Amino acid sequence: MLKRETIPAVGGTREVVAPTEQRRGRRIPTRYLVLGLLFIITAVNYADRSSLSITGSAVRADLGFSTVQLGYIFSAFSWAYVVAQLPGGMLLDRFGARRVYAASLALWTLVTAATSLVGLITTPVLVALSIVFGLRLLLGVFESPAFPGNARVSTMWFPTAERGRATAVFNSAQYFATVMFAPVMAWITNQFGWRWVFVLLGVLGFGLAVFWWRWLYPPRAHRRVNPAELDTIVSGGALVDLDTTKGENATRRTRLDRRMLARVFSTRPLWGVYVFQYAVNALTYFFITWFPIYLNKGRGLSLVHVGFVAALPALAAFIGGLVGGIVSDALLRRGRSLTAARKIPAAVGMLLATLIALSNFSDSTTVIVAILTVAFFGKGIGSLGWAITTDIAPTQAVSFVSSTMNAFGNIAGIVTPIVIGYLVSSTGSFDTALWFVSAHGLLAVVALIGMGAIRRIEFDMP
């Protein structure tokens, strides 16, 4: 964007043409601020999910829950989260990210804050159990639009050549949340009681919801976006008008009728990314469920050491996730096709994740932890499912496809812990379970091959 300016000159003044960005001085592009907001909200999202895991012992002692009852409470979120994915995606496609995401954030924050009130008035254990179980179900429902909303915002705001990094950043926030919020929540629980964890998360969430509503607009309508940045975003392939409903740039909203649904569920590339995300999440759920128990029961580490060691894979995955997005976009800028730029780091990362199986061939705890940390680093590199989804999802159903992918991916959160439990119970060791987890790295590679070329799927308007 060029602008004429009048400057002093010998004998008077003269006009020059100066770039707008140079005239204004250096400034952070608005899309990077949008990404920073997505990262913060996603970290809080995962802090809300994990809040009961951190405070669980204190909650159980205070409200009188048994270990089995607490286990049922933990499961409530995942069941509701998976079921609510498709309706959440439909709402995003129908009403846009700004409205749906703001409502989602406010509602899940309300549920989180309400948890602090359970048991303030003496109630029977089963009543308290039912209330907390119901709140966790609602948390799963209200958080369901979050990741598809992240993908939708990334599709609107980021050129194709930057989208790998963008999706990697918000996806890596889930690991960052563990590193940052877990110690804080544990400290608050120890010093002030478990209720204050939910109060703090409530205040933080409501503040973010208000800021999102007042600041986050589509690129063309955002007051901070200058013509130069808008041109970069548009020319780079971002769907900037995805949420625009008025004016000449308005995007026509397409109803997700039976014909559209049939086309979505009969498209091979989409099934490829669904299976890929399931395989990626199977590895994730091993690490956030059975991994600490494996270290404690299978390798004899004390609980103190388990707490420290379990953070290493999360940190490795966070770094790996950023590396994967950076490498993918770098390949694209160097002239590689979109298919190669996304699939090469994804395949390499998931092959690294299969190294989990090597743990069966060592008795050294140090070696095993090193292997698992490298494997989770690889899993982070390979976690490009969200980038691929934003690249291929049809315009008419961007959020529905993202939600469907997230639903399939999170089925792994139900299947993986159960299968591992049966394998460990029937064999008396984790050896077979580790082979099972490792095989999902290969499944992810097969899915990458099966999805074919990565390009935007175009459906005829009904």
Side-chain angles (χ1 to χ4, degrees):
M1 178 66 183
L2 302 180
K3 183 177 182 65
R4 293 189 177 275
E5 294 184 343
T6 301
I7 64 172
V10 177
T13 60
R14 64 184 178 89
E15 285 192 336
V16 299
V17 178
T20 301
E21 290 299 322
Q22 182 178 346
R23 178 177 59 85
R24 293 186 176 184
R26 291 186 178 182
R27 57 179 293 182
I28 300 174
T30 306
R31 62 188 184 278
Y32 295 159
L33 298 180
V34 170
L35 182 58
L37 181 59
L38 290 181
F39 181 86
I40 293 171
I41 292 177
T42 303
V44 173
N45 177 290
Y46 266 82
D48 287 345
R49 295 187 196 188
S50 63
S51 56
L52 201 59
S53 299
I54 303 299
T55 62
S57 296
V59 171
R60 184 168 68 88
D62 192 17
L63 300 181
F65 298 156
S66 68
T67 303
V68 172
Q69 289 171 334
L70 193 61
Y72 276 107
I73 290 172
F74 285 153
S75 72
F77 174 88
S78 293
W79 288 96
Y81 186 72
V82 169
V83 171
Q85 283 299 311
L86 302 190
M90 291 179 178
L91 287 173
L92 284 164
D93 282 323
R94 182 72 179 87
F95 298 106
R98 179 170 176 265
R99 286 189 286 178
V100 174
Y101 209 134
S104 171
L105 176 52
L107 288 171
W108 95 54
T109 299
L110 179 63
V111 168
T112 299
T115 306
S116 67
L117 303 177
V118 179
L120 282 178
I121 300 176
T122 303
T123 55
V125 172
L126 288 180
V127 173
L129 175 68
S130 299
I131 294 174
V132 177
F133 187 85
L135 289 173
R136 294 296 290 184
L137 284 174
L138 289 175
L139 185 66
V141 171
F142 293 145
E143 284 199 359
S144 62
F147 262 78
N150 289 349
R152 187 179 186 90
V153 172
S154 298
T155 304
M156 287 191 294
W157 277 90
F158 284 88
T160 303
E162 296 180 5
R163 206 173 295 144
R165 283 172 290 171
T167 56
V169 166
F170 76 68
N171 191 48
S172 295
Q174 60 184 293
Y175 311 116
F176 179 81
T178 300
V179 176
M180 176 160 183
F181 281 100
V184 174
M185 290 191 288
W187 179 80
I188 291 175
T189 301
N190 183 63
Q191 295 293 319
F192 306 103
W194 63 269
R195 299 181 189 278
W196 287 101
V197 170
F198 297 95
V199 171
L200 174 65
L201 291 173
V203 171
L204 187 58
F206 280 124
L208 288 171
V210 171
F211 184 80
W212 175 279
W213 179 254
R214 294 178 62 87
W215 188 79
L216 202 287
Y217 287 87
R220 289 191 195 276
H222 203 291
R223 287 176 294 181
R224 196 179 184 278
V225 176
N226 58 43
E229 183 177 10
L230 183 62
D231 180 66
T232 298
I233 296 171
V234 173
S235 63
L239 303 182
V240 295
D241 299 314
L242 200 59
D243 277 2
T244 303
T245 57
K246 297 179 180 180
E248 61 179 355
N249 297 311
T251 297
R252 178 184 171 188
R253 298 293 171 84
T254 305
R255 295 184 63 85
L256 283 170
D257 54 19
R258 290 183 179 180
R259 178 170 174 264
M260 181 63 68
L261 292 176
R263 298 194 69 175
V264 168
F265 287 111
S266 62
T267 304
R268 189 184 74 173
L270 295 180
W271 278 106
V273 77
Y274 297 159
V275 174
F276 176 81
Q277 192 68 9
Y278 173 86
V280 170
N281 279 5
L283 293 157
T284 300
Y285 280 104
F286 164 70
F287 278 99
I288 65 177
T289 57
W290 283 100
F291 180 55
I293 299 173
Y294 165 69
L295 294 175
N296 179 236
K297 301 297 184 181
R299 292 298 167 182
L301 270 68
S302 68
L303 291 178
V304 174
H305 286 96
V306 167
F308 172 75
V309 171
L312 295 178
L315 183 59
F318 172 71
I319 297 171
L322 298 180
V323 169
I326 292 171
V327 169
S328 178
D329 286 349
L331 289 172
L332 198 58
R333 289 195 303 273
R334 293 179 180 179
R336 302 301 296 267
S337 68
L338 182 60
T339 300
R342 298 294 188 242
K343 286 189 176 184
I344 290 174
V348 171
M350 297 315 294
L351 288 175
L352 275 177
T354 64
L355 294 178
I356 290 173
L358 295 181
S359 301
N360 288 330
F361 300 100
S362 177
D363 292 324
S364 169
T365 299
T366 301
V367 171
I368 290 170
V369 171
I371 290 173
L372 293 172
T373 300
V374 171
F376 212 33
F377 174 74
K379 183 262 179 187
I381 293 175
S383 297
L384 289 170
W386 284 106
I388 295 172
T389 301
T390 62
D391 290 329
I392 70 175
T395 305
Q396 301 94 325
V398 168
S399 294
F400 178 78
V401 167
S402 298
S403 297
T404 305
M405 184 271 276
N406 206 27
F408 274 100
N410 279 278
I411 290 174
I414 300 170
V415 174
T416 303
I418 294 174
V419 171
I420 292 177
Y422 276 110
L423 290 175
V424 173
S425 176
S426 61
T427 64
S429 76
F430 278 86
D431 290 354
T432 306
L434 291 176
W435 283 110
F436 168 76
V437 175
S438 177
H440 284 82
L442 296 178
L443 177 61
V445 174
V446 171
L448 286 171
I449 296 171
M451 73 177 62
I454 295 177
R455 57 175 177 267
R456 180 78 58 196
I457 298 168
E458 298 293 343
F459 289 157
D460 296 332
M461 298 292 285

